[in-house]
Amino acid sequence: MSESEPSFDFWQDHSDNFLRMALSHDRMERVHSPDGYGTRTGECGDTVEFFLSLESGRIQHVAFDIDGCRNTQATANTVAELAEGKSVDQAWQITPEQIASFLGTLPEDHFHCAELAVGAFYLALSSLDKPAGS
């Protein structure tokens, strides 16, 4: 990096939402027998898995597991945060743009992480309509 280029300080230059979502492990778990499950691997090689638990037609709990970077963790955690408590129909309205907006400082060259997380989440939502084992 040349002297004229400003350096990026992870702790100072990211939003509070980004830092909270990138560093929290509260929802990072593998759930056995979830109501909904979806997984997706991006062109970058990162993988996101979502596990959904429903109660009375609402998403009660969203857990995820990732094999990827902090940006992927931040976006997966944001999907979980925005989805919990919503109806399935409302959850389908979550978009990569909303994820990036919520995080505030997701690097532009990592927007694909938001697309990856939302894509895996959509697969989990679509699995809710299928009987177990299909």
Side-chain angles (χ1 to χ4, degrees), residues 22-41:
L23 301 173
S24 173
H25 295 277
D26 296 349
R27 293 184 179 97
M28 192 177 281
E29 63 178 311
R30 299 185 66 77
V31 175
H32 298 287
S33 302
D35 296 314
Y37 171 80
T39 184
R40 190 167 180 202
T41 300

Side-chain angles (χ1 to χ4, degrees), residues 35-98:
D35 296 314
Y37 171 80
T39 184
R40 190 167 180 202
T41 300
E43 291 181 21
C44 62
D46 288 7
T47 299
V48 178
E49 294 178 90
F50 277 104
F51 307 85
L52 308 181
S53 300
L54 296 182
E55 188 174 306
S56 302
R58 293 208 167 269
I59 299 172
Q60 185 69 27
H61 180 66
V62 179
F64 67 91
D65 194 24
I66 66 159
D67 179 10
C69 69
R70 284 264 184 241
N71 296 302
T72 297
Q73 180 168 333
T75 58
N77 218 352
T78 301
V79 168
E81 173 121 337
L82 296 180
E84 283 185 349
K86 294 213 171 21
S87 70
V88 173
D89 287 342
Q90 290 170 323
W92 278 107
Q93 305 307 310
I94 295 172
T95 66
E97 291 78 13
Q98 284 178 314

Side-chain angles (χ1 to χ4, degrees), residues 11 13-22 102-103 105:
W11 299 104
D13 295 336
H14 271 303
S15 70
D16 289 344
N17 279 347
F18 183 94
L19 293 171
R20 188 168 52 91
M21 294 294 108
F102 179 87
L103 291 171
T105 56

